[in-house]
């Protein structure tokens, strides 16, 4: 699976942004998908994940209620709708795919990674 994230940009606090992850490969619909992010000078951290069917999703408390992960297996795409953005959400956002079948939160559980898309939130 090859992944390409897009949709990043510069926004103001309180604005919304929608990230997309386009996947190529025949196994997309069988893989758990996730978003991670890495702020400058910090380690990469888990943001949200969604199961292969799209029936189950999980997001960390920091973004719960503001971010929503979704996927469209027919189009081989995954999205992250980000609302009420805060300056602390500023980071490179990465999409990842894994074959474990669960809502994994650790980097090593994801075998495929896309390049990051930068989100900058100004105050």
């Amino acid at each position: 699976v090859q992944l390409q994230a897009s949709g990043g940009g510069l926004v103001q606090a309180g604005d919304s942004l929608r990230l997309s992850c386009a996947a190529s490969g025949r196994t997309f619909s069988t893989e758990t998908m996730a978003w991670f992010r890495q702020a400058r000078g910090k380690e990469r951290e888990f943001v949200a994940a969604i199961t292969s069917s799209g029936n189950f999703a999980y997001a960390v408390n920091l973004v719960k209620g503001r971010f929503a992960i979704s996927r469209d297996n027919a189009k081989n795409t995954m999205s992250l709708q980000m609302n009420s953005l805060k300056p602390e959400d500023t980071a490179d956002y990465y999409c990842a795919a894994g074959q474990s079948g669960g809502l994994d939160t650790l980097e090593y559980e994801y075998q495929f990674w896309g390049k990051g898309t930068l989100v900058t939130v100004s105050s």
Side-chain angles (χ1 to χ4, degrees):
V1 176
Q2 292 184 323
L3 306 174
Q4 178 65 53
S6 63
L10 173 63
V11 296
Q12 293 186 332
D15 285 351
S16 298
L17 206 58
R18 187 177 182 87
L19 304 183
S20 295
C21 179
S24 61
R26 295 176 295 175
T27 63
F28 174 80
S29 63
T30 67
E31 304 196 356
T32 294
M33 299 294 296
W35 288 97
F36 286 75
R37 67 185 183 185
Q38 185 170 22
R40 183 174 297 181
K42 296 187 177 180
E43 294 186 352
R44 189 154 55 183
E45 63 180 4
F46 170 81
V47 176
I50 187 166
T51 56
S52 59
S53 65
N55 290 337
F56 299 97
Y58 171 75
V60 294
N61 288 338
L62 279 175
V63 306
K64 199 169 290 185
R66 299 189 297 122
F67 291 10
I69 188 172
S70 61
R71 67 188 296 162
D72 185 338
N73 286 346
K75 296 181 179 179
N76 277 18
T77 59
M78 174 183 64
S79 297
L80 184 69
Q81 178 65 43
M82 305 186 295
N83 299 325
S84 301
L85 282 161
K86 304 176 181 180
E88 51 263 44
D89 294 320
T90 295
D92 281 303
Y93 284 72
Y94 299 85
C95 57
Q99 299 176 330
S100 72
L103 291 170
D104 305 312
T105 63
L106 301 177
E107 290 185 52
Y108 76 86
E109 292 170 310
Y110 292 89
Q111 295 79 41
F112 305 101
W113 292 81
K115 293 183 179 179
T117 185
L118 178 62
V119 173
T120 304
V121 185
S122 64
S123 58

